[in-house]
């Protein structure tokens, strides 16, 4: 919750995106709350695209896996398609 409060105070979309990406990765590393990690990645990608193609591709791949894990198959397919468009 503290991280989310800090994110809400960030004014730049890229800063919010990066913070949400870090929170999502922390949740993934802890193997905790896959739905929360998914939501953070969704929000990160909605804020602004990453300037670096590899980071954008990694985020889309992780999102695809989380969407699939949480039963969102159509969203998983869309995330995987976005990944493949960047990293064919």
């Amino acid at each position: 919750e503290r991280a989310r409060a800090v994110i809400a105070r960030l004014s730049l979309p890229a800063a919010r995106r990066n913070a949400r990406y870090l929170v999502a990765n922390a949740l993934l590393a802890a193997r905790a709350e896959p739905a929360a990690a998914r939501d953070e990645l969704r929000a990160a990608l909605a804020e602004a695209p990453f300037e670096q193609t590899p980071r954008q591709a990694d985020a889309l791949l992780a999102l695809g896996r989380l969407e699939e894990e949480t039963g969102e198959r159509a969203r998983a397919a869309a995330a995987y398609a976005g990944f493949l468009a960047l990293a064919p």
Side-chain angles (χ1 to χ4, degrees):
E1 288 304 312
R2 293 174 84 190
R4 290 182 183 101
V6 170
I7 291 168
R9 292 195 315 254
L10 296 172
S11 61
L12 297 173
R16 286 191 304 269
R17 176 207 56 217
N18 291 341
R20 289 182 182 285
Y21 182 74
L22 290 172
V23 169
N25 280 312
L27 290 167
L28 287 171
R31 299 186 187 278
E33 303 181 55
R38 178 205 62 209
D39 293 346
E40 289 298 334
L41 276 175
R42 281 181 186 169
L45 291 165
E47 287 285 352
F50 287 99
E51 294 83 16
Q52 307 92 356
T53 299
R55 170 111 3 122
Q56 183 79 7
D58 288 345
L60 287 167
L61 181 60
L63 179 59
R65 289 178 178 155
L66 287 165
E67 297 286 17
E68 194 170 2
E69 184 177 329
T70 57
E72 297 285 344
R73 296 193 191 282
R75 286 180 180 247
Y80 289 142
F83 166 76
L84 290 172
L86 293 174

